[in-house]
Amino acid sequence: MELQLALDLVDIPQAIELVKEVEPYIDIVEIGTPVVINEGLRAVKEVKAAFPHLKVLADLKVMDAAGYEVMKASEAGADIVTILGAAEDMTIKGAVEEAKKQGKKILIDMISVKDLAQRAQEVDAFGVDYICVHTGYDLQAVGKNSFEDLRTIKAVVKNAKTAVAGGIKLSTLPEVIQAQPDLIIVGGGITGEDNKQAVAAEMQKLIKQG
């Protein structure tokens, strides 16, 4: 199991400072969609340059023209790029093809997908690297989480690694670990804490034990 730190509401200097605090305890740094919108792919480039040993995920949530966008993210240093599970099959296949060319990985974000089990099976067959169940901010605000969804996709996914995102905190982490995803994505559960380092260290410890 790996731990991914999602950076959503920061600029580039803040992102670099945050990662410095928790660097020993994380495996992947996610440049979140708001950061990409505010800063562009320069954020990916600068974070990768600052932490070349960490994997960097560009959370582009691509819906169309995926081959081109995966190429540009790869050029900026992204190791993993996100594509929406709700995108057209051709879009996802194009992303996978380009990622293979570039030696990169594709994470499918299943946010808003209605039939999770069916779509997870379909995208799994396209050769994607990760399939992620994701409760977005707007649903987290009304108390939803992705833990049950994770069990749903774990039951059907044969090839891809599984990932979970959305509102995961230290207090809910044991429940997530029980479902055995390959990748656990945490944002505010680390970045919103006073002692980010201590929380990240404890999360990494629980994940390694799990």
Side-chain angles (χ1 to χ4, degrees), residues 68-162:
Y68 178 77
E69 295 190 17
V70 169
M71 178 181 73
K72 297 316 279 183
S74 302
E75 285 171 4
D79 300 287
I80 308 167
V81 183
T82 66
I83 314 294
L84 292 180
E88 298 288 352
D89 292 357
M90 286 300 295
T91 302
I92 296 171
K93 288 174 182 172
V96 169
E97 192 181 326
E98 185 61 34
K100 286 195 175 8
K101 259 192 241 171
Q102 303 282 349
K104 309 297 184 180
K105 295 195 179 335
I106 294 298
L107 180 143
I108 296 296
D109 186 336
M110 301 291 276
I111 194 167
S112 297
V113 168
K114 295 295 177 249
D115 189 336
L116 275 175
Q118 186 188 335
R119 192 60 176 148
Q121 274 183 302
E122 289 166 1
V123 298
D124 192 30
F126 300 155
V128 305
D129 301 284
Y130 296 90
I131 299 173
C132 179
V133 288
H134 180 191
T135 301
Y137 279 123
D138 300 335
L139 283 182
Q140 284 176 45
V142 293
K144 296 269 199 288
N145 67 48
S146 309
F147 310 157
E148 204 46 57
D149 292 345
L150 176 59
R151 289 186 184 90
T152 300
I153 69 160
K154 285 280 292 186
V156 297
V157 170
K158 302 278 189 287
N159 307 304
K161 293 180 174 178
T162 55

Side-chain angles (χ1 to χ4, degrees), residues 3 5 7 10 12-29 47 50-51 53-54 187-204:
L3 178 60
L5 175 69
L7 300 173
V10 293
I12 296 170
Q14 282 174 311
I16 288 170
E17 284 309 306
L18 263 170
V19 176
K20 272 184 194 159
E21 276 189 71
V22 300
E23 185 185 350
Y25 310 110
I26 61 171
D27 304 290
I28 302 170
V29 184
V47 169
F51 307 98
H53 58 290
L54 288 176
I190 292 174
T191 61
E193 296 294 324
D194 291 332
N195 192 338
K196 297 169 186 53
Q197 194 172 45
V199 172
E202 186 61 27
M203 283 187 167
Q204 183 63 260

